[in-house]
Amino acid sequence: MNRKKVFNLPNCLTMARILAAPFIVLLLYFEMWFGFKFGSYFAFGLYFLACVTDYFDGKIAREQNTITNLGKFLDPLADKLLIGSALIMLVRLGPGWGVPAWVVIIIICRELAVTGMRAVAAEQGEVIAADRLGKAKTLTQSLAVGFLIFHYPLFGWDPRPTGIVLLYVALVLTVVSGGHYLYNFYKKWIGTPEEG
């Protein structure tokens, strides 16, 4: 693969989103280990910047006609790593953060299943890009995680109830979109009998 295509600006933004995930986890660990209240604020700031790159990498790729198969693969993977690692840390921080473990387990299992389907499709020379339902799921998950990371009331407004409601909406979208991917995958690669 051409090095210039791999390291184009959209792909670099996507890779930066992947690299942001461990730093967000580390900042949330500061919150847990040292009672460093501002850890969640810094984690939110980094998380917000990472989410902004999710908008711009796609926009730039379309405008500059630099959409690549690698970018189509890395973009949803970056979302999964960023959101999944943040959700796991929110569970680790305890019940006060409002994230039930069972919700996170369902979300992560769905993401692993879809990633597996993408791997099988890639072996057939095709890349399964995110559809509208999948993008709506990712947006809702991103908003939910953002509100939950912010966590502490600000000027009398508590972000946690909003984050929790969005998390359950995201859970529904996660299951529905996962079922949609599974149905399409089965219909295209498994359900159609081979000719000959």
Side-chain angles (χ1 to χ4, degrees):
M1 186 179 288
N2 188 305
R3 184 182 177 88
K4 190 173 181 181
K5 286 185 178 181
V6 171
F7 293 103
N8 62 34
L9 181 56
N11 285 351
C12 286
L13 288 173
T14 302
M15 292 174 194
R17 195 155 78 255
I18 292 172
L19 291 174
F23 289 100
I24 291 169
V25 168
L26 182 62
L27 287 166
L28 290 173
Y29 261 118
F30 286 159
E31 176 93 22
M32 185 174 66
W33 287 337
F34 308 115
F36 180 51
K37 181 176 177 179
F38 289 101
S40 63
Y41 292 151
F42 286 122
F44 172 79
L46 183 56
Y47 177 80
F48 177 79
L49 289 174
C51 289
V52 168
T53 69
D54 190 23
Y55 169 76
F56 282 107
D57 61 9
K59 180 179 173 62
I60 293 169
R62 288 188 295 272
E63 289 178 352
Q64 296 183 353
N65 195 26
T66 54
I67 297 173
T68 63
N69 283 341
L70 179 65
K72 288 179 183 179
F73 173 76
L74 285 179
D75 186 59
L77 179 63
D79 294 333
K80 289 170 175 43
L81 290 172
L82 184 67
I83 293 170
S85 57
L87 283 172
I88 290 169
M89 269 308 300
L90 289 170
V91 172
R92 180 72 179 85
L93 284 164
W97 288 68
V99 181
W102 66 269
V103 171
V104 176
I105 289 169
I106 291 173
I107 289 173
I108 290 177
C109 285
R110 179 270 189 200
E111 303 299 2
L112 289 173
V114 171
T115 300
M117 285 185 249
R118 285 195 167 106
V120 173
E123 286 186 358
Q124 305 298 320
E126 295 196 33
V127 175
I128 302 176
D131 59 15
R132 289 184 179 180
L133 196 56
K135 289 178 180 178
K137 176 269 304 180
T138 301
L139 176 61
T140 311
Q141 284 181 353
S142 299
L143 290 171
V145 171
F147 282 116
L148 291 167
I149 287 176
F150 198 82
H151 186 67
Y152 296 106
L154 184 68
F155 302 118
W157 175 69
D158 188 349
R160 284 174 297 178
T162 303
I164 291 168
V165 169
L166 285 171
L167 182 64
Y168 284 103
V169 172
L171 176 65
V172 173
L173 288 173
T174 297
V175 173
V176 172
S177 64
H180 185 250
Y181 279 121
L182 181 60
Y183 172 75
N184 287 336
F185 177 82
Y186 177 83
K187 190 168 67 171
K188 187 165 187 177
W189 280 285
I190 299 174
T192 304
E194 294 184 5
E195 294 181 2

